[in-house]
Structure formats: C-alpha cells, structure tokens
Amino acid sequence: MNKKDLFTLEDNIVNFIFDAIFTKNLQPGTKLSESVLAKELNTSRDVVRKAFSKLQTMGILSYKRNQGFNVVWISEENAKDIFETRKIIESGIVEIVTKRHLKENLDLSALLENIDTEEYLKLSHRNGEYVKSSCDFHLNLAALSQNEFLINALKPLIPLSILAALIYEDENTEFSSYDEHRVLIETIKSNNITNAKNVMLEHLDHCFDVLDFDLDTINKKNKFLFC
C-alpha cells in the first residue's frame, strides 16, 4: 500500500466521522475505538489512528493519554468562536461566488435543488438527513468559490457547528435553514455583493441564536449523552 492509498483511506475515515456527526449518530463526548472502526471499515488501526489524529488537529476529536479519542464537547465560548469564524470565512466565500456569478453567470441550479431537498427532508421529519443536507448547502456553496484555502478552513467548522447544536439547540425552535438559503441564492443572482454578504451574516447569526445555553437544558442533555 503506497502513501497515496493511505491518504485516501484516512480521508475516507475523516468523511465517515463527519457524516456520522451530520446525521447525529455521533454525539459530543462519545469515545471512539480504533479497533472497532478499523474492523467496521476493513482497514488497519494505524490508518484509523492517523485519521483520528487529523480530526484532532481539526478540533473534532480530543485525546487524553490512557483514555483515547473522544468527540469534543463544545463549550458556550467554543460555540461563539465557531460561528464568529464561520461568519468571516463564509462572507468571504459569498463575496467570491457573487463576483464569479457577475462575470460568468454561474449555474446555481444544483444549489437550488439542494434547498428543495432540505425542505422536503425537514417537512418529512427526517431530521438527521435534513441537517446533513443543510450542511451540504454550505459546503457546495464554498466549492463554487474555487478557493481551496477557504474550503478547507470551513470544512471542520461545519461538524463543529452540528456538535454545538446537539448540545445547545432549542428543540422547540421553528427555525428552518432552507428559506434563508433561498434568499441567499436570489441575492447572489442579483449580483449585489454587499447584500449577499449581509444575508449570509444574518443567516449565521440566526443559526447561533437558536442555541440555548441555559444550564438546566444542558444538564438534561448531558444526562442523555453520557448514560
């Protein structure tokens, strides 16, 4: 097995962990087993360990000696920092994409289909798939920037946002991302860079505002997560 194969396998494991977070199958604080995952994915523990180390560098996993790797627990301060960072990165992405659309008349139909899928999944109460579809929208929009530095900077922040939501999101919220995603696309199509950036910033503010940092709520979720 050459280095290229190892790199590909590590990336597959990273994406496997991301998908498990997007679909809410991995909770904050969950301990991960190298041997179990290696067996499940039919690969070596060494490859899994390298993938876990990469995820640790991204901030997705934490590591303690004699305790191994765990999915990180997001504090209130962490959550604020995550969304502030996303606002910086994603407003830049929107600026680039809007400029590209102005020059090249980008085909945004795939993003609109993504939004339709979001709405269908939300209304069908398929919440795990809905969350993943909503995340895919942000990553697919980033891909249109063709800026690998911004794309790679955003990629780990999306699952970190989901982990924050798993702990703090108000379960009674009526917030739905797809309506604001549609507004964003229409603003990009209008070629108004300032408005498009503002729509994205407001959208991310709304995503943060649905988080509830009330201690009673958090304690109830702690009991569930670590039972």
Side-chain angles (χ1 to χ4, degrees), residues 133-193:
S133 180
S134 181
C135 294
D136 286 344
F137 171 84
H138 286 265
L139 293 170
N140 291 335
L141 178 64
L144 287 179
S145 74
Q146 297 183 336
N147 185 311
E148 292 299 322
F149 294 100
L150 286 174
I151 295 167
N152 290 331
L154 177 63
K155 188 175 180 181
L157 292 172
I158 301 296
L160 285 170
S161 301
I162 301 305
L163 291 173
L166 285 170
I167 303 170
Y168 303 110
E169 188 172 55
D170 181 356
E171 295 175 356
N172 298 316
T173 181
E174 296 182 0
F175 173 73
S176 297
S177 62
Y178 51 83
D179 287 332
E180 294 189 358
H181 287 170
R182 281 200 181 95
V183 173
L184 177 61
I185 294 303
E186 290 305 312
T187 312
I188 291 172
K189 288 167 69 175
S190 74
N191 298 321
N192 190 316
I193 295 170

Side-chain angles (χ1 to χ4, degrees), residues 41-57:
L41 299 180
N42 193 29
T43 189
S44 70
R45 289 186 61 175
D46 184 56
V47 171
V48 173
R49 190 177 300 113
K50 289 178 179 178
F52 283 2
S53 294
K54 188 176 292 187
L55 287 161
Q56 182 188 8
T57 301

Side-chain angles (χ1 to χ4, degrees), residues 14-64:
V14 168
N15 289 329
F16 178 85
I17 298 297
F18 280 178
D19 283 344
I21 293 171
F22 292 153
T23 53
K24 302 185 178 181
N25 288 319
L26 265 185
Q27 302 282 342
T30 302
K31 183 176 181 179
L32 300 181
S33 168
E34 294 174 9
S35 58
V36 170
L37 194 57
K39 184 176 181 180
E40 183 175 348
L41 299 180
N42 193 29
T43 189
S44 70
R45 289 186 61 175
D46 184 56
V47 171
V48 173
R49 190 177 300 113
K50 289 178 179 178
F52 283 2
S53 294
K54 188 176 292 187
L55 287 161
Q56 182 188 8
T57 301
M58 293 178 179
I60 306 298
L61 301 183
S62 61
Y63 176 81
K64 288 185 179 180

